[in-house]
Amino acid sequence: MDLVVVSNRVARAKANEPMTGGLAAALLPVVEKSGAIWVGSSGRVRDNATKDSFAEIESLGAGALALLDLPAAHYGGYYEGFANSALWPALHSRTDLIRVSQDDYQSYREVNAFMARALMRFRKPGTMFWIQDYHFLALGAEMRDLGVRNPLGFFLHTPWPARRVIAGVPHHRELIEAMLAYDLIGFQTDDDCENFATYLRTDLGLEVDAGIVTSRFGTSRIATFPIGIDVDGFSAQAQRAASHPDVSRLRKSLHGERLAIGVDRVDYSKGLVNRISAFDRLFEMQPSLKRSVSLLQIATPSRGGIEAYSNLQDELSKQVTEVNGRHGEVDWTPIRYLSKGFSQTVLAGFYRAAQVGVVTPLHDGMNLVAKEYVAAQNPIDPGVLVLSKFAGAANELDTALLVNPHDIDGMARTIATALSMPAPERRMRWEAMMAKLRAGTIHSWFADFIDALENARSTAGPVLPSATVRPLRAVGARLYN
Ligand code: F6P
């Protein structure tokens, strides 16, 4: 089977490099093992980028990594513009943060079309293409426009919101129609899948029957594929990481104090302000916990060119300073706040050193930090996961302590419960979560999606010949008005 995986951000194979985001970290082991070609952005732009502007093609385990320079004129409008200032806020139900221009939409479509042309280099008769995430909603349709009949799959790593929320994205209708060029469209949770089906039925007037929908492109299947992690690999990494100098330094710095850990990109969907407020409240409600626990919050800067993100960075720095000023002592800092990324190895060691994992997003597709925290624990003395019920992971990790991230007092009380939980209960909850993680790893996620993509193609009718498909450019002309 020839497989080409496409995502905006890719991961490099170096375990010691900081990694940004769940998607890149999750895909790395499966690409390495499967022999797929992974195509993504090189992170560089060029004035004269062409479909052949591959900065590098290098091997990655049994597979390969092909990094493409993107066109300078459109990169900003595509990445910071339409993808992250229109789609991302809407997908996380923050339509109040949508800021987008017509030019941004045009750039998004241009980059999708550019990527489609670049992918032609990897097309052979049996090749399957698996496109990842909201950066490339229209990529499949662009490929069909170029005459591609190969199986095309798509997986969304974020939530998919209610129909009235996605309707806040300019051109939502054309984009969602374009998504139906994919043979298989995968979501993280049943709720996301159902929201998408409702949109298709209500706004596009299409019939969706047992996950099958027929559009002008032919037949597509929509289904849920909750993403997992490499459980055994991560667990082994966490054990090995105990001897890593950064992990030893962390342990030494604790002097018997207990540690709670949060690891997030600085993003308004992650609930960071509420989390810091919950620790503030915890120290107010239970002053006896001062000096006996602190929060290590790793907050990796992200998308800093977007106002909502730079504002959040400023707000968090101010808030942490205030909370530390209020509760801290000359020799104790309640919130250890680090604005930088760490490698997977070091993070695995940090998770194992922490008695509480706090993963409290306001809304999250899955949240793999929650799964990694669990996998990293010592089976004899596992820590406790405090998890937002609005993370996709809460569907599986239902023996975590589930919280409402809008309820600050409730979160503070739950963190206190986590800190005083007896070992037998911690073990019981942890074992139940590990069983869930083992039942759905990154490897089974990958295999299930590929199987379903093969089946979607064999059960679906043929894709319409491209002459009968309304070309996207014609749609685009209307959109760009
Ligand atoms: O869909 C979510 C996602 O792809 C995550 O995997 C990751 O957390 C994030 O987006 C990466 O964002 P960016 O590439 O903009 O840093």
Side-chain angles (χ1 to χ4, degrees), residues 8-9 20-24 79 84 88 133-135 156-158 265 270 302-303:
N8 177 68
R9 188 180 287 282
T20 314
L23 181 161
Y79 178 77
N84 285 314
W88 180 273
D133 236 355
Y134 62 99
H135 308 87
L156 184 70
H157 292 256
T158 69
R265 281 185 309 104
K270 302 293 180 187
S302 173
R303 306 174 189 168

Side-chain angles (χ1 to χ4, degrees), residues 268-289:
Y268 44 80
S269 65
K270 302 293 180 187
L272 288 164
V273 172
N274 290 9
R275 186 182 308 163
I276 307 284
S277 297
F279 275 85
D280 187 15
R281 195 75 190 101
L282 176 72
F283 295 124
E284 257 168 42
M285 282 169 20
Q286 295 206 26
S288 60
L289 285 176

